[in-house]
Amino acid sequence: MSVKAQNLVWGVKRRQIVRDVSLNVSEGETIGLIGPNGSGKSSLLRLLAGLKSPHSGLVAINDRDIAKVPRRALAREIAFVHQNAATDTNVTVRDVVRLGRTPHRSALSGWTDADEVAVTTALERVDMTSLSRQAWQTLSGGERQRVHIARALAQDPKVMFLDEPTNHLDIHHQIEILRLVRDLDLTSVIALHDLNLAAMFCDRIMILEGGALRACGTPQTVLTEDLIRDVFRTDSEVKHDNGALHIRFRPNSSL
Ligand SMILES: Nc1ncnc2c1ncn2[C@@H]1O[C@H](COP(=O)(O)OP(=O)(O)OP(=O)(O)O)[C@@H](O)[C@H]1O
Ligand SMILES: [Mg+2]
C-alpha cells in the first residue's frame, strides 16, 4: 500500500510542530525518517498512522483519505510500534503478541488456527519464542521492544510505522529487526537515529528539521557531510564503497 501526505500541519497552542510536510511512499518501500531530537519524527509518524489528526492537510493510504476510513479497518492495515511502548502488567509475552490479532477478530469468531500461527510466527521472527511464557514486566528493555515488534507483525499489516524500533536492542538484534522489516512484503516508515543503519536498510531517507522535511532521497544522495553538519551539528566523513555508505563521525567537531 502507498502512503501519501499532503501539506500536513500540526502543532500545540501556537507552536507548529509539523510544518507543511508532503511525502509519497510507494508500496513496498522502506523509508528511514531521521532528524534531531524534537524535530517532529514521532509527531509525523502519528499523523501518518491516523493516531492524531492534522490541523490541515491529509494522509492517504492507497489513495484513500484515512480520516474517512473506520478505525477498525485502519487497524487491519496499519501497525504502529511506539517509541516507549508500555503494556499492562500481569500478562505473558504471548498475551501481548496475541493482542496484535484483535483487529482481525469479530465478536462472534473465536481464536482461530490462523491467529495462533500468526502469533507463533511473529514470536519466531523476533527471536522471542523461548520467552513466550515469561511475564512481560520481567523482560529486559530490548526484549520488550522485540515483543512489541512481534505484536505489530502478528497484526499482519500492509503498512508499518516504527518509532525508533532499535532502541534498547543489541547490535545483532538491531540488524536483524531492520533486515526483517525491510524484507517483509509491506510498506514501512521507520524513525531512526543511527544514520549508518538507516543507510544500510532504507530505500530512501527523509530528514526532518524543525518539523519540516529538509531532504528526501536515497541514502547516497541525502546523507552528505554537508547535510549532516548542518542538521546534526556534527562533522563526519562519508565514504561510498560499492553502493554501501559508511559514515564516521568526528568527535572533535568545533560546531
Ligand atoms: N502533545 C504535545 N504537547 C506539547 N509539545 C509537544 C507535544 N508533542 C510533541 N511536542 C513537542 O514537539 C516537538 C517534536 O516532538 P517529537 O516527539 O515529534 O520529536 P522527535 O523528532 O520524535 O524527537 P526524538 O528524537 O527525541 O524522539 C518536541 O519539541 C516536543 O516537545
Ligand atoms: Mg520521537
Short mmCIF file of all heavy atoms in Angstrom, two decimals, residues 74-118:
data_model
loop_
_atom_site.label_atom_id
_atom_site.label_comp_id
_atom_site.label_asym_id
_atom_site.label_seq_id
_atom_site.Cartn_x
_atom_site.Cartn_y
_atom_site.Cartn_z
N LEU A 74 -8.79 0.46 9.57
CA LEU A 74 -7.44 1.03 9.55
C LEU A 74 -6.47 0.15 10.34
O LEU A 74 -5.34 -0.09 9.93
CB LEU A 74 -7.50 2.44 10.16
CG LEU A 74 -6.53 3.48 9.65
CD1 LEU A 74 -6.62 3.65 8.14
CD2 LEU A 74 -6.80 4.82 10.34
N ALA A 75 -6.97 -0.38 11.48
CA ALA A 75 -6.11 -1.21 12.33
C ALA A 75 -5.74 -2.54 11.68
O ALA A 75 -4.76 -3.17 12.06
CB ALA A 75 -6.81 -1.46 13.67
N ARG A 76 -6.54 -2.95 10.69
CA ARG A 76 -6.17 -4.18 9.98
C ARG A 76 -5.05 -3.92 8.97
O ARG A 76 -4.39 -4.83 8.52
CB ARG A 76 -7.39 -4.77 9.25
CG ARG A 76 -8.31 -5.52 10.19
CD ARG A 76 -9.27 -6.40 9.42
NE ARG A 76 -10.27 -5.62 8.73
CZ ARG A 76 -11.47 -5.31 9.24
NH1 ARG A 76 -11.81 -5.74 10.43
NH2 ARG A 76 -12.32 -4.60 8.56
N GLU A 77 -4.88 -2.66 8.64
CA GLU A 77 -3.89 -2.33 7.60
C GLU A 77 -2.64 -1.65 8.12
O GLU A 77 -1.59 -1.73 7.52
CB GLU A 77 -4.57 -1.43 6.55
CG GLU A 77 -5.61 -2.21 5.78
CD GLU A 77 -6.45 -1.37 4.86
OE1 GLU A 77 -6.35 -0.13 4.90
OE2 GLU A 77 -7.21 -1.98 4.09
N ILE A 78 -2.76 -0.98 9.28
CA ILE A 78 -1.64 -0.18 9.78
C ILE A 78 -1.22 -0.68 11.15
O ILE A 78 -2.04 -0.81 12.05
CB ILE A 78 -2.06 1.30 9.91
CG1 ILE A 78 -2.37 1.89 8.54
CG2 ILE A 78 -0.95 2.11 10.58
CD1 ILE A 78 -2.80 3.34 8.59
N ALA A 79 0.07 -0.92 11.32
CA ALA A 79 0.60 -1.24 12.66
C ALA A 79 1.56 -0.14 13.07
O ALA A 79 2.23 0.47 12.22
CB ALA A 79 1.31 -2.58 12.65
N PHE A 80 1.62 0.10 14.37
CA PHE A 80 2.48 1.17 14.89
C PHE A 80 3.29 0.63 16.06
O PHE A 80 2.73 0.08 17.00
CB PHE A 80 1.59 2.33 15.36
CG PHE A 80 2.34 3.63 15.53
CD1 PHE A 80 2.27 4.62 14.57
CD2 PHE A 80 3.13 3.85 16.66
CE1 PHE A 80 2.95 5.82 14.72
CE2 PHE A 80 3.82 5.04 16.82
CZ PHE A 80 3.74 6.03 15.84
N VAL A 81 4.59 0.76 15.99
CA VAL A 81 5.44 0.37 17.13
C VAL A 81 5.92 1.66 17.79
O VAL A 81 6.65 2.45 17.17
CB VAL A 81 6.64 -0.49 16.67
CG1 VAL A 81 7.55 -0.82 17.85
CG2 VAL A 81 6.14 -1.78 16.01
N HIS A 82 5.46 1.89 19.02
CA HIS A 82 5.75 3.15 19.70
C HIS A 82 7.17 3.23 20.22
O HIS A 82 7.81 2.23 20.47
CB HIS A 82 4.76 3.36 20.85
CG HIS A 82 3.37 3.64 20.37
ND1 HIS A 82 2.90 4.91 20.14
CD2 HIS A 82 2.36 2.80 20.04
CE1 HIS A 82 1.66 4.84 19.69
NE2 HIS A 82 1.30 3.57 19.63
N GLN A 83 7.61 4.46 20.43
CA GLN A 83 8.97 4.73 20.89
C GLN A 83 9.22 4.13 22.28
O GLN A 83 10.22 3.50 22.52
CB GLN A 83 9.21 6.24 20.88
CG GLN A 83 10.63 6.65 21.20
CD GLN A 83 10.88 8.13 20.86
OE1 GLN A 83 9.98 8.85 20.44
NE2 GLN A 83 12.11 8.55 21.04
N ASN A 84 8.32 4.38 23.19
CA ASN A 84 8.48 3.84 24.54
C ASN A 84 7.20 3.13 24.94
O ASN A 84 6.46 3.60 25.78
CB ASN A 84 8.78 4.95 25.55
CG ASN A 84 10.17 5.50 25.34
OD1 ASN A 84 11.15 4.76 25.31
ND2 ASN A 84 10.25 6.80 25.16
N ALA A 85 6.96 2.01 24.29
CA ALA A 85 5.68 1.36 24.50
C ALA A 85 5.60 0.71 25.87
O ALA A 85 6.55 0.09 26.33
CB ALA A 85 5.48 0.30 23.43
N ALA A 86 4.47 0.88 26.51
CA ALA A 86 4.22 0.19 27.78
C ALA A 86 3.08 -0.79 27.54
O ALA A 86 2.32 -0.66 26.59
CB ALA A 86 3.85 1.18 28.85
N THR A 87 2.97 -1.76 28.40
CA THR A 87 1.89 -2.73 28.29
C THR A 87 1.41 -3.03 29.69
O THR A 87 2.19 -2.94 30.64
CB THR A 87 2.41 -4.03 27.61
OG1 THR A 87 2.73 -3.73 26.25
CG2 THR A 87 1.39 -5.13 27.63
N ASP A 88 0.13 -3.36 29.80
CA ASP A 88 -0.41 -3.69 31.13
C ASP A 88 0.43 -4.79 31.77
O ASP A 88 0.92 -5.67 31.10
CB ASP A 88 -1.85 -4.21 31.00
CG ASP A 88 -2.77 -3.08 30.64
OD1 ASP A 88 -2.38 -1.93 30.83
OD2 ASP A 88 -3.87 -3.37 30.14
N THR A 89 0.56 -4.69 33.06
CA THR A 89 1.33 -5.72 33.75
C THR A 89 0.51 -7.01 33.85
O THR A 89 -0.65 -7.04 33.45
CB THR A 89 1.71 -5.25 35.16
OG1 THR A 89 0.52 -4.79 35.78
CG2 THR A 89 2.74 -4.15 35.10
N ASN A 90 1.13 -8.05 34.37
CA ASN A 90 0.43 -9.31 34.58
C ASN A 90 -0.02 -10.02 33.32
O ASN A 90 -1.05 -10.67 33.31
CB ASN A 90 -0.81 -9.09 35.46
CG ASN A 90 -0.49 -9.44 36.89
OD1 ASN A 90 0.43 -10.22 37.13
ND2 ASN A 90 -1.22 -8.86 37.81
N VAL A 91 0.72 -9.85 32.27
CA VAL A 91 0.43 -10.61 31.06
C VAL A 91 1.72 -11.27 30.61
O VAL A 91 2.81 -10.81 30.94
CB VAL A 91 -0.11 -9.72 29.92
CG1 VAL A 91 -1.53 -9.28 30.19
CG2 VAL A 91 0.80 -8.53 29.69
N THR A 92 1.56 -12.36 29.85
CA THR A 92 2.76 -13.02 29.34
C THR A 92 3.15 -12.40 28.00
O THR A 92 2.36 -11.67 27.38
CB THR A 92 2.52 -14.53 29.11
OG1 THR A 92 1.59 -14.66 28.03
CG2 THR A 92 2.00 -15.22 30.36
N VAL A 93 4.34 -12.74 27.56
CA VAL A 93 4.83 -12.29 26.26
C VAL A 93 3.83 -12.69 25.17
O VAL A 93 3.45 -11.88 24.32
CB VAL A 93 6.22 -12.93 26.00
CG1 VAL A 93 6.62 -12.83 24.55
CG2 VAL A 93 7.26 -12.31 26.93
N ARG A 94 3.39 -13.94 25.22
CA ARG A 94 2.48 -14.41 24.18
C ARG A 94 1.15 -13.64 24.19
O ARG A 94 0.59 -13.33 23.14
CB ARG A 94 2.24 -15.92 24.38
CG ARG A 94 1.72 -16.58 23.13
CD ARG A 94 1.60 -18.08 23.25
NE ARG A 94 1.02 -18.60 22.03
CZ ARG A 94 1.71 -18.94 20.96
NH1 ARG A 94 3.01 -18.90 20.96
NH2 ARG A 94 1.09 -19.36 19.88
N ASP A 95 0.68 -13.29 25.41
CA ASP A 95 -0.56 -12.50 25.51
C ASP A 95 -0.42 -11.17 24.79
O ASP A 95 -1.35 -10.69 24.12
CB ASP A 95 -0.90 -12.20 26.98
CG ASP A 95 -1.31 -13.44 27.74
OD1 ASP A 95 -1.77 -14.40 27.09
OD2 ASP A 95 -1.16 -13.46 28.99
N VAL A 96 0.75 -10.54 24.97
CA VAL A 96 0.96 -9.23 24.34
C VAL A 96 0.89 -9.37 22.82
O VAL A 96 0.25 -8.58 22.13
CB VAL A 96 2.32 -8.62 24.76
CG1 VAL A 96 2.60 -7.34 24.00
CG2 VAL A 96 2.36 -8.37 26.26
N VAL A 97 1.53 -10.42 22.31
CA VAL A 97 1.57 -10.61 20.86
C VAL A 97 0.18 -10.97 20.34
O VAL A 97 -0.23 -10.54 19.25
CB VAL A 97 2.62 -11.67 20.48
CG1 VAL A 97 2.67 -11.88 18.97
CG2 VAL A 97 4.00 -11.23 20.99
N ARG A 98 -0.59 -11.70 21.16
CA ARG A 98 -1.96 -12.05 20.76
C ARG A 98 -2.82 -10.82 20.51
O ARG A 98 -3.72 -10.84 19.67
CB ARG A 98 -2.63 -12.86 21.88
CG ARG A 98 -2.23 -14.32 21.87
CD ARG A 98 -2.70 -15.00 23.15
NE ARG A 98 -2.90 -16.41 22.94
CZ ARG A 98 -4.06 -17.04 23.11
NH1 ARG A 98 -5.12 -16.37 23.51
NH2 ARG A 98 -4.17 -18.32 22.89
N LEU A 99 -2.53 -9.74 21.26
CA LEU A 99 -3.31 -8.51 21.09
C LEU A 99 -3.22 -7.98 19.66
O LEU A 99 -4.14 -7.30 19.20
CB LEU A 99 -2.80 -7.42 22.06
CG LEU A 99 -3.10 -7.66 23.53
CD1 LEU A 99 -2.40 -6.60 24.38
CD2 LEU A 99 -4.61 -7.63 23.78
N GLY A 100 -2.12 -8.33 18.99
CA GLY A 100 -1.98 -7.90 17.60
C GLY A 100 -3.08 -8.44 16.70
O GLY A 100 -3.36 -7.89 15.63
N ARG A 101 -3.72 -9.54 17.12
CA ARG A 101 -4.76 -10.15 16.28
C ARG A 101 -6.12 -9.49 16.44
O ARG A 101 -7.05 -9.78 15.68
CB ARG A 101 -4.89 -11.65 16.61
CG ARG A 101 -3.64 -12.47 16.36
CD ARG A 101 -3.15 -12.39 14.93
NE ARG A 101 -4.11 -12.91 13.98
CZ ARG A 101 -4.08 -12.64 12.67
NH1 ARG A 101 -3.14 -11.88 12.16
NH2 ARG A 101 -4.99 -13.15 11.87
N THR A 102 -6.27 -8.62 17.46
CA THR A 102 -7.58 -8.04 17.78
C THR A 102 -8.32 -7.47 16.56
O THR A 102 -9.50 -7.77 16.37
CB THR A 102 -7.43 -6.95 18.88
OG1 THR A 102 -6.69 -7.53 19.94
CG2 THR A 102 -8.77 -6.47 19.37
N PRO A 103 -7.67 -6.66 15.72
CA PRO A 103 -8.44 -6.07 14.61
C PRO A 103 -8.96 -7.09 13.61
O PRO A 103 -9.86 -6.78 12.83
CB PRO A 103 -7.43 -5.14 13.92
CG PRO A 103 -6.19 -5.13 14.73
CD PRO A 103 -6.27 -6.22 15.74
N HIS A 104 -8.41 -8.30 13.64
CA HIS A 104 -8.84 -9.30 12.65
C HIS A 104 -9.99 -10.16 13.16
O HIS A 104 -10.54 -10.97 12.43
CB HIS A 104 -7.67 -10.22 12.28
CG HIS A 104 -6.58 -9.49 11.55
ND1 HIS A 104 -6.68 -9.16 10.22
CD2 HIS A 104 -5.40 -9.00 11.98
CE1 HIS A 104 -5.59 -8.51 9.85
NE2 HIS A 104 -4.80 -8.40 10.90
N ARG A 105 -10.33 -10.01 14.44
CA ARG A 105 -11.32 -10.91 15.02
C ARG A 105 -12.66 -10.20 15.16
O ARG A 105 -12.73 -9.03 15.45
CB ARG A 105 -10.83 -11.41 16.37
CG ARG A 105 -9.51 -12.17 16.23
CD ARG A 105 -8.94 -12.52 17.56
NE ARG A 105 -9.83 -13.38 18.30
CZ ARG A 105 -9.89 -13.42 19.62
NH1 ARG A 105 -9.12 -12.63 20.34
NH2 ARG A 105 -10.72 -14.24 20.22
N SER A 106 -13.74 -10.96 14.96
CA SER A 106 -15.06 -10.36 15.17
C SER A 106 -15.56 -10.87 16.52
O SER A 106 -15.00 -11.79 17.11
CB SER A 106 -16.01 -10.80 14.07
OG SER A 106 -16.34 -12.15 14.26
N ALA A 107 -16.64 -10.25 16.99
CA ALA A 107 -17.20 -10.63 18.29
C ALA A 107 -17.64 -12.10 18.28
O ALA A 107 -17.66 -12.76 19.31
CB ALA A 107 -18.37 -9.72 18.62
N LEU A 108 -17.97 -12.58 17.10
CA LEU A 108 -18.52 -13.94 17.01
C LEU A 108 -17.45 -15.01 16.87
O LEU A 108 -17.60 -16.12 17.37
CB LEU A 108 -19.48 -14.02 15.81
CG LEU A 108 -20.67 -13.08 15.90
CD1 LEU A 108 -21.50 -13.14 14.62
CD2 LEU A 108 -21.53 -13.45 17.10
N SER A 109 -16.37 -14.66 16.18
CA SER A 109 -15.38 -15.71 15.93
C SER A 109 -14.47 -15.88 17.13
O SER A 109 -14.07 -14.92 17.79
CB SER A 109 -14.56 -15.36 14.68
OG SER A 109 -13.67 -14.31 14.96
N GLY A 110 -14.13 -17.10 17.39
CA GLY A 110 -13.20 -17.38 18.49
C GLY A 110 -11.77 -17.26 17.98
O GLY A 110 -11.52 -16.74 16.89
N TRP A 111 -10.87 -17.72 18.81
CA TRP A 111 -9.46 -17.72 18.45
C TRP A 111 -9.24 -18.81 17.41
O TRP A 111 -9.61 -19.97 17.64
CB TRP A 111 -8.65 -17.98 19.72
CG TRP A 111 -7.19 -17.87 19.54
CD1 TRP A 111 -6.30 -18.90 19.49
CD2 TRP A 111 -6.43 -16.67 19.41
NE1 TRP A 111 -5.04 -18.40 19.33
CE2 TRP A 111 -5.09 -17.04 19.28
CE3 TRP A 111 -6.76 -15.31 19.37
CZ2 TRP A 111 -4.07 -16.10 19.12
CZ3 TRP A 111 -5.75 -14.39 19.22
CH2 TRP A 111 -4.42 -14.79 19.10
N THR A 112 -8.69 -18.49 16.25
CA THR A 112 -8.58 -19.47 15.17
C THR A 112 -7.14 -20.01 15.04
O THR A 112 -6.21 -19.44 15.62
CB THR A 112 -8.95 -18.85 13.80
OG1 THR A 112 -7.96 -17.85 13.51
CG2 THR A 112 -10.33 -18.21 13.84
N ASP A 113 -7.00 -21.06 14.24
CA ASP A 113 -5.67 -21.59 13.97
C ASP A 113 -4.80 -20.54 13.29
O ASP A 113 -3.60 -20.45 13.53
CB ASP A 113 -5.76 -22.83 13.06
CG ASP A 113 -6.31 -24.03 13.82
OD1 ASP A 113 -6.40 -23.94 15.07
OD2 ASP A 113 -6.67 -25.03 13.18
N ALA A 114 -5.44 -19.75 12.42
CA ALA A 114 -4.67 -18.71 11.71
C ALA A 114 -4.12 -17.69 12.70
O ALA A 114 -2.98 -17.22 12.56
CB ALA A 114 -5.58 -18.02 10.69
N ASP A 115 -4.92 -17.37 13.73
CA ASP A 115 -4.44 -16.43 14.77
C ASP A 115 -3.22 -17.03 15.48
O ASP A 115 -2.23 -16.36 15.74
CB ASP A 115 -5.54 -16.16 15.80
CG ASP A 115 -6.71 -15.37 15.22
OD1 ASP A 115 -6.46 -14.49 14.38
OD2 ASP A 115 -7.86 -15.65 15.61
N GLU A 116 -3.35 -18.31 15.80
CA GLU A 116 -2.28 -19.00 16.52
C GLU A 116 -0.98 -19.01 15.70
O GLU A 116 0.11 -18.75 16.23
CB GLU A 116 -2.75 -20.45 16.81
CG GLU A 116 -2.02 -21.15 17.90
CD GLU A 116 -2.14 -20.46 19.26
OE1 GLU A 116 -3.12 -19.75 19.52
OE2 GLU A 116 -1.19 -20.61 20.05
N VAL A 117 -1.12 -19.30 14.42
CA VAL A 117 0.05 -19.35 13.54
C VAL A 117 0.70 -17.97 13.45
O VAL A 117 1.92 -17.82 13.51
CB VAL A 117 -0.34 -19.86 12.13
CG1 VAL A 117 0.79 -19.66 11.13
CG2 VAL A 117 -0.75 -21.33 12.20
N ALA A 118 -0.14 -16.93 13.34
CA ALA A 118 0.39 -15.56 13.21
C ALA A 118 1.20 -15.20 14.46
O ALA A 118 2.28 -14.59 14.36
CB ALA A 118 -0.75 -14.58 13.00
#
